[in-house]
Amino acid sequence: GQQVMQIPQYQHVQEGEDFTTYCNSSTTLSNIQWYKQRPGGHPVFLIQLVKSGEVKKQKRLTFQFGEAKKNSSLHITATQTTDVGTYFCAGLYNNDMRFGAGTRLTVKP
Amino acid sequence: DSGVTQTPKHLITATGQRVTLRCSPRSGDLSVYWYQQSLDQGLQFLIQYYNGEERAKGNILERFSAQQFPDLHSELNLSSLELGDSALYFCASSGQSRMNTEAFFGQGTRLTVV
């Protein structure tokens, strides 16, 4: 079945460093979404990308959707301790949503 | 508040037992997803229902089953429980329209098998 691969599984950074997580699908996606799960919490929707090559920004977060609509990335500039958590991508295949395994981000002050 | 309600929040049970987890989706959402999240792990997709019918199956064990009722609430049944089934079980719902596919997660049910 459809699957979204997400890397890396873990990322530990020093506060102020940048962070990037990547998602890749073998088949074209209808859209891709990104979620953040804080420690002890549940995944919360961040953003949705629909168009080929789309780039969206939310303050220090930059989200990209590949031209072929098969890959996506989330980049955080100058990480802060409040960025800690697990970031999930979720690819939509027609009406079926599949989550990546997530990237767990830890930030050292 | 996501609008998705999961009960119970916590569940402690013994090995070999059977439990039922319940999920009420957001009003109007037709799709319900169940996920398992073990400690510090990612989201393992279990099963999806759409408007009462099974839509897709993931890594769901044969000991597990689910259903979605006419009022769109869903239940996940876990039987012959093992220690390894201890995890956080999330339910999520989405509207599935082209413009609105955002998934809303419940707070989860933390299952502990002792």
Side-chain angles (χ1 to χ4, degrees):
Chain A
Q2 295 94 345
Q3 202 170 8
V4 176
M5 306 302 296
Q6 186 173 0
I7 58 170
Q9 189 175 0
Y10 301 97
Q11 186 77 57
H12 178 74
V13 301
Q14 190 79 35
E15 188 173 21
E17 292 181 340
D18 292 355
F19 159 76
T20 305
T21 174
Y22 302 89
C23 280
N24 188 61
S25 168
S26 59
T27 56
T28 303
L29 299 166
S30 298
N31 69 40
I32 194 154
Q33 301 168 15
W34 286 91
Y35 294 76
K36 177 182 179 180
Q37 183 181 22
R38 295 182 182 276
H42 61 277
V44 174
F45 175 81
L46 292 177
I47 207 162
Q48 173 176 291
L49 304 171
V50 180
K51 298 177 183 177
S52 169
E54 189 170 13
V55 178
K56 287 188 176 180
K57 292 190 175 185
Q58 289 180 350
K59 297 182 180 179
R60 294 177 295 103
L61 278 61
T62 302
F63 305 84
Q64 294 187 352
F65 201 10
E67 293 291 338
K69 298 182 71 172
K70 291 183 178 181
N71 56 75
S72 181
S73 65
L74 158 59
H75 180 81
I76 302 179
T77 303
T79 55
Q80 299 175 358
T81 55
T82 53
D83 295 326
V84 297
T86 301
Y87 293 85
F88 294 96
C89 62
L92 186 69
Y93 301 88
N94 296 319
N95 289 321
D96 297 331
M97 187 187 307
R98 295 292 175 267
F99 278 78
T103 296
R104 184 181 177 190
L105 173 66
T106 55
V107 180
K108 185 176 182 180
Chain B
D1 181 13
S2 67
V4 178
T5 304
Q6 286 188 250
T7 57
K9 289 185 179 179
H10 301 276
L11 197 51
I12 301 176
T13 189
T15 54
Q17 294 299 304
R18 171 190 170 94
V19 296
T20 297
L21 312 184
R22 182 187 168 99
C23 171
S24 293
R26 233 170 37 118
S27 177
D29 283 355
L30 299 179
S31 259
V32 169
Y33 299 81
W34 285 98
Y35 294 91
Q36 180 192 57
Q37 187 174 45
S38 300
L39 188 63
D40 292 337
Q41 298 297 310
L43 291 169
Q44 295 295 319
F45 169 63
L46 296 178
I47 197 164
Q48 176 197 0
Y49 280 85
Y50 179 78
N51 201 21
E53 294 190 0
E54 183 183 301
R55 185 68 176 258
K57 263 187 177 181
N59 301 319
I60 187 167
L61 301 172
E62 287 190 8
R63 299 183 286 109
F64 296 0
S65 65
Q67 54 185 330
Q68 186 178 29
F69 295 87
D71 66 353
L72 300 179
H73 91 268
S74 180
E75 293 181 354
L76 178 66
N77 302 295
L78 315 177
S79 62
S80 303
L81 285 168
E82 302 175 357
L83 296 177
D85 297 327
S86 296
L88 193 54
Y89 291 85
F90 284 110
C91 164
S93 74
S94 70
Q96 293 297 299
S97 72
R98 277 201 171 274
M99 297 300 293
N100 181 23
T101 60
E102 173 185 349
F104 295 84
F105 282 78
Q107 300 287 333
T109 293
R110 182 168 295 283
L111 173 66
T112 302
V113 183
V114 297

